[in-house]
Amino acid sequence: MPGGLEGPPGTQEHRGRLSSRRLAVLVRHLPHDGALARDLHGESADWTVTDHLLAHMADQLADANWMFATVNRDEDAEPMEFPSPFPRPGSAEGAAESPPPTATSAPDAADAAELARFFAS
C-alpha cells in the first residue's frame, strides 16, 4: 500500500500511523447524509436539492389549486384558507421544536488546546 500503511484505513489510527492530513481527508469525504452531517446540520442534512424542488412544486400545486377553487367558488361561500407551505428543515415550525445543535452546546466538544495536543502527537 502507498506510504507503507497496511490494513483498512480505520486501523492505522489505532496503530499510531494515521496522519492528521489523512484524517482530514477521511472526514472531508464522509457522506453528506451520514451521522456526522446529521449531527452537525440536523434534519437539513437529509434534504437534497431534489427534495427542496419537490417541496417547492408541492407548494406551487397547492397554490394553483387554491387559486382555481377561489375563482370558481360560489359568491356566497366563505373564502378558502390559503394553503400552508410544505415544512422544510430550519423553517419556523421546525426550529421551534428542536433547535439545531451548535459546537458550543455539545458537552464533549474539544477546545483549542485539546485539538492542538491531538494534532501534535
Side-chain angles (χ1 to χ4, degrees), residues 1-20:
M1 293 187 90
L5 300 175
E6 287 87 27
T11 61
Q12 288 94 27
E13 179 182 15
H14 298 293
R15 297 180 187 157
R17 298 181 184 158
L18 184 64
S19 69
S20 58

Side-chain angles (χ1 to χ4, degrees), residues 4-49:
L5 300 175
E6 287 87 27
T11 61
Q12 288 94 27
E13 179 182 15
H14 298 293
R15 297 180 187 157
R17 298 181 184 158
L18 184 64
S19 69
S20 58
R21 180 179 179 199
R22 175 75 174 143
L23 178 63
V25 168
L26 290 174
V27 170
R28 241 182 246 120
H29 290 91
L30 286 172
H32 295 289
D33 59 349
L36 179 65
R38 224 173 289 116
D39 188 47
L40 292 175
H41 304 292
E43 183 186 343
S44 63
D46 294 330
W47 278 59
T48 64
V49 172

Side-chain angles (χ1 to χ4, degrees), residues 44-98:
S44 63
D46 294 330
W47 278 59
T48 64
V49 172
T50 304
D51 296 329
H52 283 283
L53 289 173
L54 284 172
H56 181 72
M57 291 300 296
D59 291 344
Q60 294 296 311
L61 182 59
D63 292 349
N65 286 338
W66 175 83
M67 284 186 241
F68 179 82
T70 300
V71 168
N72 293 309
R73 70 177 173 87
D74 187 22
E75 290 181 10
D76 299 330
E78 290 186 27
M80 293 180 59
E81 187 176 321
F82 190 77
S84 57
F86 192 84
R88 282 144 172 101
S91 64
E93 297 93 33
E97 293 171 7
S98 60

